[in-house]
Amino acid sequence: MSFGLKQLSATGRAGLIQDLWDSQGGRCFISDHLIDLKLHADQLDIDHIIPTRDGGKDDKSNWALTFSHHNRSKQASDLRIARILARFENLRASIADPRGVNLGHVLNSAGGAKHPLTFDKTVDVTAMRYSFAALGRPDIQSAPLWKDQLSGLSYMFVLLPIEYLFHDDRLNPRGIGANIRGLIEEFFKKFPQLHVPLAWIETDEAGGSRVRVFDGQHKAAAQVLLGVRELPVRIFVDPNPDLLLTANTHAGTTLRQVAFDKATQRHLGASILNDRIERFRDDLGHAADYGSFTEQQLVDHFRGEQAQMRRYIIDAQRNAITYHPDNRLRDFIEMGGKGTERPISYSAIEKAVYSQTIYGGMLDVPDDFKADIGENPRDLESEQIVRLLNIVADTIYVGSYDPEIGSAKLESKIQKGEDVPDNHLRAHRMGREEILYSWIDLCLSVLQTSVISSARPWDKERPFHRAIPETAWQSLGNFVVNFSRLPLWKNRGLSATVFGGKQNAQFWKDAFATGSANQNKILAGDGVNLIDLMQPPS
């Protein structure tokens, strides 16, 4: 507590709380939630808005009333920054998009992304004319047109009100990461940064041009959250959007210039594939709905980028499964890769599930092969992998994993004697990448055993390209239930010896096969007995 606050009597403190409550409109300075002085009397803090170490005064002019929870869990010592970060967290919590908050959401929350902008080239085509008439600013302005010497693209620099800015979700589908906090603090302290977003327009777009921002969204969002109403933007004029999409994808993949998480990379790959399919049809004079081409034909057509085409095709399949509307496990996958609220990282899903279930080769049957009767290989693959993920979700995660507890240092908490619910601990352990890989491999063995026993063929390279019989799905459901009930998942004693360190997948394969790990008996008998675990749960 500050010296100034210590000097107050109980009556003086009560009066100060009332004065701060009045001046703040009855709301918490950080969260903006309503404060009831009677109901919340024991849950309130008084703190410095500007920390005293940063020159803030230790008196009423620099004090604010907050909820204790928000004040003690704040992400910044300066309450003005904490308030901005709290507003961003509220926005994030309100967004249902699994990829999280993006610049578009931030713009919408600040009253931006409202109006297209009409551009007109000057007579000598050296500048672009425009006005902000929709904002009551009809004066005609002009920006010089420049030409990029390497790409040949035309561009201009314009200071635009946020009402005329839009986020390009197609070229940049990733959400805003945790580094937004650092940018907000940096800008708030008035440190200069290179913060000019990249955008593009189509001058002949019906109703006016939408200025679509596709790069620099974190710095743009930080400025908007800090109350900036106009942003300098470099705008490419009438570019080939496919060129920008490919360049943006390369920046986050092969060039590693941007920290694109893997889920975003797959989404971009899927977008590029759609563009390549359109170009393939145009090149060969096919109709827009032509589907009688094979994956291998696509790869062969685009000489010079065949390796990339193979990746785009598999990216599209991964993306289709991840964002399938029926995928219930998606709610438990951390798309950004480093979060601790959700139990499974996207990287774990890719390495543990997709690597074992998605066929990585190129198909030589038409893209629309047997699609009308529900037997298209890629469609079957997608639908059946989603079914596998849903069995995992419904058995282990839905109603069992608590995001409020999360997964951060869970084994350390167990070793310290902290109370972690059994089902939450099980969900955490079974979602660890190396463990998930090993028991998903067992799931495939269950399906293989069941399919072969029903006198049907099993293709280990393409396990989900044929419809799997219901009896096999029932056996798999039984196995996942029985396997998840094994005592090791809730055994606190194994926290330091078996679950405490990072093991590899082979470690867990051997453990499940033998029943032992690190000289600890973790399973009854001699390891996992598939036939027993395939029986209906008792």
Side-chain angles (χ1 to χ4, degrees):
M1 182 180 294
S2 74
F3 178 78
L5 290 174
K6 286 181 180 178
Q7 301 298 106
L8 294 175
S9 64
T11 302
R13 181 179 176 85
L16 174 62
I17 289 175
Q18 181 67 56
D19 289 344
L20 293 174
W21 185 86
D22 289 338
S23 65
Q24 293 171 202
R27 295 180 177 274
C28 168
F29 187 89
I30 295 175
S31 69
D32 202 41
H33 292 161
L34 287 170
I35 294 175
D36 186 297
L37 292 181
K38 290 185 178 179
L39 296 179
H40 300 141
D42 297 328
Q43 303 166 33
L44 301 175
D45 278 356
I46 300 172
D47 200 358
H48 297 100
I49 297 173
I50 304 172
T52 53
R53 68 169 182 267
D54 294 336
K57 296 181 179 180
D58 189 20
D59 61 28
K60 184 177 177 181
S61 67
N62 190 41
W63 287 332
L65 186 64
T66 73
F67 281 114
S68 301
H69 168 73
H70 291 300
N71 188 43
R72 295 168 193 180
S73 63
K74 64 182 183 286
Q75 300 179 56
S77 57
D78 191 305
L79 294 195
R80 295 169 297 177
I81 298 177
R83 179 162 57 180
I84 293 168
L85 294 174
R87 191 165 69 245
F88 178 72
E89 288 301 316
N90 289 337
L91 176 62
R92 190 172 71 164
S94 70
I95 299 300
D97 191 326
R99 287 171 287 169
V101 175
N102 60 35
L103 175 60
H105 300 125
V106 174
L107 286 169
N108 287 329
S109 71
K114 286 184 175 181
H115 307 299
L117 191 57
T118 299
F119 290 93
D120 181 42
K121 290 182 181 178
T122 57
V123 176
D124 56 2
V125 198
T126 60
M128 297 288 282
R129 301 165 68 245
Y130 56 92
S131 79
F132 305 133
L135 299 183
R137 296 161 58 182
D139 294 347
I140 296 175
Q141 302 187 47
S142 179
L145 268 179
W146 306 91
K147 180 153 298 216
D148 187 276
Q149 294 185 13
L150 295 177
S151 68
L153 297 179
S154 296
Y155 66 92
M156 58 183 167
F157 288 99
V158 179
L159 184 65
L160 283 182
I162 64 171
E163 288 86 353
Y164 291 97
L165 288 176
F166 296 82
H167 175 66
D168 192 324
D169 184 65
R170 178 169 167 268
L171 267 61
N172 189 353
R174 67 172 176 157
I176 293 174
N179 63 337
I180 189 75
R181 171 187 170 182
L183 288 170
I184 289 172
E185 291 178 333
E186 191 82 352
F187 291 147
F188 186 82
K189 295 174 182 177
K190 305 187 185 306
F191 291 131
Q193 283 271 349
L194 180 64
H195 47 271
V196 179
L198 303 183
W200 67 284
I201 59 169
E202 289 180 305
T203 54
D204 60 354
E205 184 175 358
S209 302
R210 286 177 177 253
V211 180
R212 296 174 170 88
V213 176
F214 66 89
D215 190 37
Q217 71 156 336
H218 280 72
K219 292 179 180 179
Q223 294 173 79
V224 174
L225 287 167
L226 284 164
V228 174
R229 301 298 300 180
E230 293 186 339
L231 299 181
V233 187
R234 183 188 185 189
I235 304 174
F236 290 100
V237 179
D238 293 325
N240 178 352
D242 178 52
L243 178 66
L244 298 182
L245 176 62
T246 304
N248 208 35
T249 302
H250 287 173
T253 54
T254 56
L255 298 179
R256 305 294 182 194
Q257 294 174 315
V258 183
F260 279 176
D261 56 77
K262 286 189 175 181
T264 299
Q265 292 177 22
R266 306 316 175 209
H267 188 89
L268 287 168
S271 296
I272 291 179
L273 177 63
N274 289 333
D275 284 340
R276 294 297 187 272
I277 291 173
E278 290 182 13
R279 194 192 302 178
F280 172 85
R281 289 168 174 154
D282 289 343
D283 289 349
L284 299 182
H286 294 305
D289 60 350
Y290 176 76
S292 296
F293 56 87
T294 70
E295 292 176 354
Q296 189 59 53
Q297 285 174 333
L298 281 177
V299 171
D300 293 340
H301 180 76
F302 292 97
R303 299 184 182 277
E305 56 174 326
Q306 294 179 332
Q308 294 96 315
M309 283 301 301
R310 293 187 186 94
R311 188 179 74 243
Y312 299 153
I313 288 168
I314 302 304
D315 281 354
Q317 187 69 342
R318 291 166 173 150
N319 190 69
I321 296 166
T322 302
Y323 294 104
H324 193 288
D326 297 332
N327 180 1
R328 293 189 289 279
L329 189 63
R330 185 180 64 193
D331 292 338
F332 301 93
I333 299 173
E334 186 61 59
M335 299 299 178
K338 293 185 179 180
T340 58
E341 292 182 0
R342 302 184 186 189
I344 308 174
S345 69
Y346 177 82
S347 177
I349 287 295
E350 202 165 274
K351 294 176 182 177
V353 181
Y354 295 166
S355 70
Q356 300 188 88
T357 57
I358 296 176
Y359 175 56
M362 299 295 99
L363 299 187
D364 55 5
V365 297
D367 186 63
D368 57 4
F369 178 73
K370 292 188 176 181
D372 56 333
I373 58 174
E375 296 181 9
N376 179 269
R378 286 297 187 195
D379 290 346
L380 276 172
E381 184 176 66
S382 174
E383 295 290 336
Q384 294 187 119
I385 292 175
V386 169
R387 185 167 183 177
L388 166 62
L389 296 178
N390 284 343
I391 290 173
V392 173
D394 295 341
T395 305
I396 301 167
Y397 293 98
V398 177
S400 296
Y401 183 85
D402 185 352
E404 292 294 324
I405 299 174
S407 59
K409 299 181 180 179
L410 211 58
E411 299 296 346
S412 296
K413 293 177 181 177
I414 293 295
Q415 294 166 34
K416 294 176 183 176
E418 295 187 27
D419 184 26
V420 177
D422 283 350
N423 287 346
H424 183 88
L425 178 60
R426 175 192 67 180
H428 164 72
R429 287 176 169 177
M430 295 187 74
R432 288 171 56 171
E433 182 181 305
E434 67 279 10
I435 300 175
L436 182 64
Y437 184 97
S438 303
W439 71 265
I440 288 295
D441 181 57
L442 294 177
C443 289
L444 294 175
S445 296
V446 168
L447 289 175
Q448 179 179 358
T449 301
S450 299
V451 169
I452 292 175
S453 68
S454 65
R456 300 192 186 192
W458 175 262
D459 188 335
K460 193 170 183 178
E461 285 193 344
R462 313 182 191 196
F464 293 109
H465 280 206
R466 292 189 182 92
I468 293 174
E470 285 300 315
T471 52
W473 286 113
Q474 184 60 54
S475 295
L476 178 62
N478 294 340
F479 170 79
V480 175
V481 170
N482 289 324
F483 187 73
S484 68
R485 290 180 178 178
L486 294 175
L488 84 155
W489 305 122
K490 303 174 183 179
N491 188 331
R492 267 74 172 161
L494 297 176
S495 184
T497 57
V498 176
F499 291 105
K502 173 76 173 177
Q503 311 291 352
N504 57 32
Q506 190 60 51
F507 172 92
W508 285 101
K509 282 189 175 183
D510 293 341
F512 294 146
T514 64
S516 298
N518 282 351
Q519 300 181 338
N520 291 274
K521 192 68 177 173
I522 64 171
L523 296 172
D526 296 325
V528 172
N529 186 311
L530 289 183
I531 301 301
D532 287 348
L533 296 182
M534 288 163 59
Q535 306 309 309
S538 57

